[in-house]
Amino acid sequence: MPYRSRLNTLTESHRLIDLAINEKMKDPNFDELRVNEMKKQKLIYKDEIRRLERLQYEHDSETVNFGDDR
């Protein structure tokens, strides 16, 4: 299940970067540029997660035709 493994990795990365963003924003002197870069990366993870979920859904939804034309 290559999709599942990659999906798990991306989901965990998304969770960790979200925690890091929240932690950085607690500091009143946080680096806004760095936080914005992290938010962009978080969106990249989210987009990739959605893409893989869609591919997995399409794969799971495929019907198998064995050539049985009854």
Side-chain angles (χ1 to χ4, degrees):
M1 294 243 163
Y3 288 131
R4 182 57 48 202
S5 176
R6 179 71 176 142
L7 189 57
N8 289 340
T9 300
L10 286 168
T11 301
E12 181 64 8
S13 296
H14 184 271
R15 186 185 72 78
L16 291 173
I17 203 166
D18 188 47
L19 291 173
I21 290 168
N22 290 333
E23 193 61 34
K24 285 200 176 290
M25 291 180 68
K26 288 179 184 177
D27 179 357
N29 299 317
F30 73 89
D31 182 353
E32 191 172 345
L33 181 59
R34 177 67 183 130
V35 169
N36 285 339
E37 289 171 358
M38 293 169 72
K39 287 180 178 182
K40 287 178 188 177
Q41 184 61 48
K42 183 180 165 188
L43 287 174
I44 290 169
Y45 290 148
K46 183 177 180 180
D47 289 345
E48 184 67 6
I49 289 167
R50 296 240 168 125
R51 186 184 75 80
L52 289 174
E53 287 174 338
R54 186 183 71 248
L55 287 172
Q56 186 65 52
Y57 175 80
E58 290 171 359
H59 177 267
D60 292 346
S61 298
E62 288 179 353
T63 57
V64 178
N65 182 356
F66 293 105
D68 190 7
D69 297 331
R70 290 186 238 177

